[in-house]
Amino acid sequence: MNSIIDNFYHCLQTDKPLSAIVAEDAVLNVSYPINQIIGLKAIESDYWLQFKNAFEHLERKAFIEFDSEYESDQWIAATGYFSGIFVNDFLGIPATGNLLYLRFTELVKIKDNKISEYFIIFDFLDVMHQAGIFPLRKSLGHCGQILPPTTMDGLLPLEVNKLQADESEQLVLNMLEELSKFDGKSLLSMQLENYWHADFMWYGPAGIGTTKGIKSFRERHQGPFVFSFPDRLVDHKACVVKKGNYVATGGWPHMHGTHSVGGWLGLPPTNQTLELRVIDIWRREGDLLKENWVGIDIIHMCKQMGLDIFALMKTSV
């Protein structure tokens, strides 16, 4: 059974009207450089047309998708890939003529049975990598395609009872509270072992990469990040979506932090206060978190630091 998001893209691909499933004043928030698009006509002309022109046989293939209520509205969280043949340049990224996988992470608000607000982070930096372009230094974590849940139950996950989802949410909230306890000196001041499995999988975006295990996460992502943004703060969220062992949260922005120390992505400090567009999806296993799929608008962060990745891309070809 297709979800409303599948139907949304089916309408876009077949030029069918969106009005039956999308609100007239719907807001679509897309990762940089597309950004915010408002209204049905703009979604069709300013959003999807770019994808339709660049890719043939384009399909959305989610491997996690679940929904729940948040503040009286229905929300859907999902992640996976669009796949298609890259036949024409996309956002200035040169076409390869080959199959391309475009990673996405999204939160979708449903009101009165229509999409009213849509947040989606695409990994456009990974598209550049697949085109053979590397405008930033090599990722410290593993680069490559992101895997679905180990349990292979990410699509409409089973829920024993509502308490199961509530427990999953509380575990995530407690873990996020632990992340706020960084003392500015030692990563061990955040006791992740109380919340994460020892072999926890962190599926990060291009530029950071995927890590396995708490030690690898600290070395290849957390350390460079928290020391570069010592005042980082999770201060906004769009929603919390929860179903069984799965929880998603994020925002536009989701975090703020001052880039006051160098090291993150190998870049020097800029002393700029940045807003971070982030969407996270976690999977709980027992009493601990086992997997985390992370969408971060890396290119938007770099833009705020004065580094235009799309401009730099042209010099890296």
Side-chain angles (χ1 to χ4, degrees), residues 25-36:
D25 58 351
V27 178
L28 175 62
N29 299 287
V30 189
S31 42
Y32 184 87
I34 298 176
N35 297 313
Q36 190 175 85

Side-chain angles (χ1 to χ4, degrees), residues 64-123:
I64 298 175
E65 187 169 325
F66 58 97
D67 68 316
S68 70
E69 187 177 288
Y70 179 76
E71 294 185 348
S72 301
D73 291 310
Q74 201 71 12
W75 283 83
I76 302 172
T79 191
Y81 284 94
F82 285 86
S83 65
I85 307 299
F86 194 3
V87 293
N88 291 305
D89 293 359
F90 177 66
L91 301 175
I93 305 171
T96 64
N98 292 326
L99 176 65
L100 182 131
Y101 288 94
L102 173 57
R103 184 184 177 188
F104 70 87
T105 312
E106 61 191 3
L107 293 170
V108 182
K109 180 180 179 180
I110 310 299
K111 195 175 184 68
D112 298 327
N113 297 315
K114 291 186 177 184
I115 294 173
S116 64
E117 197 165 7
Y118 197 141
F119 301 87
I120 184 164
I121 295 176
F122 288 110
D123 198 338

Side-chain angles (χ1 to χ4, degrees), residues 9 79 130 266 276 297:
Y9 285 104
T79 191
Q130 292 179 65
L276 282 66
D297 196 347

Side-chain angles (χ1 to χ4, degrees), residues 93-276:
I93 305 171
T96 64
N98 292 326
L99 176 65
L100 182 131
Y101 288 94
L102 173 57
R103 184 184 177 188
F104 70 87
T105 312
E106 61 191 3
L107 293 170
V108 182
K109 180 180 179 180
I110 310 299
K111 195 175 184 68
D112 298 327
N113 297 315
K114 291 186 177 184
I115 294 173
S116 64
E117 197 165 7
Y118 197 141
F119 301 87
I120 184 164
I121 295 176
F122 288 110
D123 198 338
F124 292 142
L125 185 60
D126 185 55
V127 175
M128 296 179 192
H129 290 179
Q130 292 179 65
I133 304 168
F134 298 86
L136 294 172
R137 65 111 168 92
K138 185 178 179 181
S139 302
L140 296 180
H142 171 76
C143 287
Q145 211 163 342
I146 303 301
L147 294 177
T150 305
T151 47
M152 301 301 286
D153 62 349
L155 296 175
L156 299 175
L158 294 176
E159 185 171 68
V160 176
N161 52 52
K162 191 177 184 301
L163 181 61
Q164 182 186 11
D166 292 341
E167 290 174 346
S168 299
E169 177 189 17
Q170 192 59 54
L171 178 60
V172 168
L173 294 178
N174 292 344
M175 182 271 299
L176 294 176
E177 178 65 24
E178 185 67 28
L179 293 179
S180 70
K181 296 178 181 179
F182 178 50
D183 64 4
K185 300 175 183 179
S186 172
L187 298 179
L188 299 180
S189 60
M190 296 171 285
Q191 299 179 28
L192 294 180
E193 63 277 1
N194 293 335
Y195 305 93
W196 290 5
H197 276 269
D199 57 354
F200 181 82
M201 291 294 299
W202 192 86
Y203 301 104
I208 299 174
T210 292
T211 67
K212 184 177 180 66
I214 295 174
K215 182 176 182 291
S216 177
F217 171 76
R218 284 172 169 156
E219 291 176 349
R220 300 177 186 278
H221 171 59
Q222 188 183 42
F225 181 74
V226 299
F227 283 112
S228 293
F229 298 88
D231 65 347
R232 83 209 189 290
L233 181 65
V234 177
D235 51 2
H236 292 76
K237 69 173 181 286
C239 65
V240 175
V241 189
K242 54 186 177 180
K243 180 66 68 71
N245 291 324
Y246 289 86
V247 178
T249 188
W252 211 267
H254 189 50
M255 300 175 64
H256 286 82
T258 305
H259 185 224
S260 56
V261 180
W264 184 71
L265 301 184
L267 300 173
T270 62
N271 293 314
Q272 297 294 317
T273 298
L274 311 186
E275 60 177 34
L276 282 66

Side-chain angles (χ1 to χ4, degrees), residues 289-304:
L289 298 170
K290 189 64 181 286
E291 296 179 280
N292 181 199
W293 294 263
V294 188
I296 306 174
D297 196 347
I298 297 285
I299 296 177
H300 180 247
M301 291 180 67
C302 289
K303 181 67 173 177
Q304 296 171 81

